[in-house]
Amino acid sequence: MYGVWFYIWPRWDELMNFKVWCDAAIQIFYSLGPGCGGILNMASYNSFTNNNKIDSILVPLCISATSITAGFVVFSVLGFMSHKTGIPVSSVASGGLGLAFVTYPEAISLLPWANFWAILFFLMLFFVGMSSAFVTIEAIITSICDEFPVLRRHKLFITFFTCCIMWACSTIFTTNSGMYWLTLLDCYSVSTSIVLISLVEVTIVGWTYGAKYFLKDIEFMIKKKVSWLWFISWKFSIPVILIAIFIMTIKTDTDITYDGKTFPKWTIDLGWDCCYVSMACIPLYMGYHLLYIEEGDFIQRIFSSFFPSKHWGPVDENTKLKWIREVKLRQVGGKFVKKRPQEILQLITTV
């Protein structure tokens, strides 16, 4: 109960600490996974009329509720460890990766039937990692197959090849210095770049494609009106918040330590290099698009790149109806089309 009380009792003075807000925002990115492509990938398997508005509300609420519940589990064990060792919970509850791989297993070793609880704990970590890997790998595979449609027939080989590369790269974390590498990449390779990537995405939706058109597309899909608050969020609120988070992430950056050892300067530079690699893909593709995709002189290419292309929405109602009919036909399947043409004709007439 001491650990739970430490967990739920607020420290109001920490609200004035910008780093706390920054860490909280980054944790939301880790939990929800925006900017990584996984959400868009998995959502693409929904039906065309799926209520995405409800999903965008329920998913964050469920994830936040899960995190809060997990906090009770973690801090109850940390409170038990504090009681056994006499060390304050504030000292026991070390943040970062050490909490999951050092502090928590050490606390479990003090419980009755420690081996049983240890097996359950590491099985839980294994399945959490596997479920995250499914989404990550699917995002990579779908991106490759969409960019090069000819490879779709070889999806099994691409999946196997992707898993082999990820396995080979992750073996560095199993070495004696593995925890240091994991801490370094955890601090630098994702936190800053994912905020920038999400900022670029919401800017494209809100300003390049247009929040007004995006709102109409969603209303067409769910057959309901959508509040203007969503328009304000996509257009103004979210970009401003993400810019503030991005600036705070860089400004509050400090030297990282693990097990009482401060990382040398060259490792910090390496961490930032890993961060720059993912962010550099954005300007590189922008340059490629301006040079090889857009038409006209340089000024015209820059100007046209700020607007949707002619063969991409928003589309008129006739085109939308034609597209819906094609979707319905694909959903029914080829065999159904050949054997039961009357039902297909009735379906198209209804649409």
Side-chain angles (χ1 to χ4, degrees):
M1 287 304 301
Y2 182 65
V4 172
W5 182 255
F6 179 85
Y7 172 57
I8 64 176
W9 185 257
R11 294 172 57 185
W12 301 109
D13 57 307
E14 290 294 334
L15 292 178
M16 302 303 295
N17 187 352
F18 282 131
K19 192 174 189 310
V20 172
W21 287 94
C22 184
D23 291 342
I26 295 301
Q27 184 58 47
I28 293 296
F29 277 90
Y30 282 140
S31 300
L32 292 177
C36 300
I39 295 178
L40 299 178
N41 257 296
M42 306 313 289
S44 67
Y45 291 98
N46 289 329
S47 62
F48 181 80
T49 56
N50 179 67
N51 196 330
N52 294 305
K53 187 185 76 170
I54 297 298
D55 290 349
S56 64
I57 297 173
L58 289 180
V59 170
L61 288 178
C62 292
I63 291 177
S64 298
T66 304
S67 299
I68 292 172
T69 305
F72 281 100
V73 176
V74 170
F75 277 88
S76 63
V77 175
L78 295 179
F80 170 78
M81 184 179 181
S82 173
H83 174 73
K84 282 287 187 180
T85 61
I87 303 174
V89 178
S90 57
S91 300
V92 172
S94 60
L97 300 168
L99 178 63
F101 297 105
V102 179
T103 306
Y104 203 87
E106 185 179 349
I108 289 178
S109 67
L110 301 175
L111 292 172
W113 296 23
N115 292 340
F116 172 73
W117 297 115
I119 290 173
L120 290 183
F121 173 71
F122 284 107
L123 275 177
M124 180 270 296
L125 280 185
F126 173 76
F127 287 124
V128 167
M130 288 292 291
S131 62
S132 301
F134 282 134
V135 180
T136 305
I137 295 173
E138 182 67 26
I140 297 173
I141 296 169
T142 306
S143 301
I144 295 174
C145 293
D146 285 352
E147 189 69 22
F148 307 102
V150 71
L151 297 177
R152 290 176 182 173
R153 66 186 71 176
H154 306 294
K155 188 174 181 179
L156 179 62
F157 173 76
I158 296 174
T159 304
F160 176 76
F161 187 67
T162 302
C163 291
C164 288
I165 293 178
M166 295 179 69
W167 167 80
C169 293
S170 61
T171 52
I172 190 174
F173 302 127
T174 63
T175 61
N176 290 333
S177 60
M179 202 64 180
Y180 296 96
W181 285 109
L182 188 58
T183 304
L184 179 69
L185 295 179
D186 180 62
C187 291
Y188 288 100
S189 64
V190 179
S191 58
T192 306
S193 59
I194 202 67
V195 176
L196 179 65
I197 293 170
S198 299
L199 175 61
V200 172
E201 288 181 354
V202 75
T203 303
I204 291 173
V205 170
W207 293 90
T208 302
Y209 180 70
K212 179 179 67 174
Y213 297 126
F214 193 64
L215 201 67
K216 289 182 178 179
D217 290 340
I218 293 178
E219 291 175 348
F220 176 75
M221 293 169 67
I222 67 177
K223 308 300 181 186
K224 294 180 182 177
K225 294 294 292 183
V226 179
S227 172
W228 58 272
L229 291 174
W230 295 88
F231 175 86
I232 298 298
S233 298
W234 298 326
K235 195 86 171 179
F236 304 105
S237 303
I238 296 178
V240 170
I241 293 173
L242 289 179
I243 290 173
I245 294 173
F246 183 72
I247 294 174
M248 283 193 297
T249 303
I250 299 175
K251 190 175 180 180
T252 58
D253 176 62
T254 56
D255 293 337
I256 56 176
T257 59
Y258 176 74
D259 197 21
K261 300 177 182 178
T262 302
F263 281 56
K265 181 67 168 59
W266 69 269
T267 59
I268 305 300
D269 294 337
L270 180 62
W272 277 113
D273 289 339
C274 294
C275 179
Y276 295 146
V277 166
S278 55
M279 293 193 294
C281 294
I282 299 174
L284 287 176
Y285 190 81
M286 288 171 59
Y288 166 77
H289 198 275
L290 286 174
L291 292 175
Y292 299 102
I293 305 299
E294 297 291 348
E295 298 178 352
D297 57 35
F298 187 69
I299 301 299
Q300 291 174 335
R301 295 185 181 195
I302 293 179
F303 185 77
S304 63
S305 65
F306 283 97
F307 297 93
S309 58
K310 295 180 181 179
H311 53 273
W312 178 258
V315 296
D316 54 43
E317 291 298 319
N318 292 330
T319 307
K320 285 183 178 180
L321 288 175
K322 179 181 178 182
W323 188 79
I324 286 292
R325 290 169 183 167
E326 294 177 356
V327 171
K328 290 293 184 183
L329 288 172
R330 288 200 299 269
Q331 288 178 348
V332 182
K335 294 182 180 179
F336 188 81
V337 173
K338 293 179 180 178
K339 293 184 179 180
R340 307 177 69 179
Q342 284 296 331
E343 285 81 350
I344 296 297
L345 181 61
Q346 183 180 358
L347 179 63
I348 295 177
T349 306
T350 305
V351 174

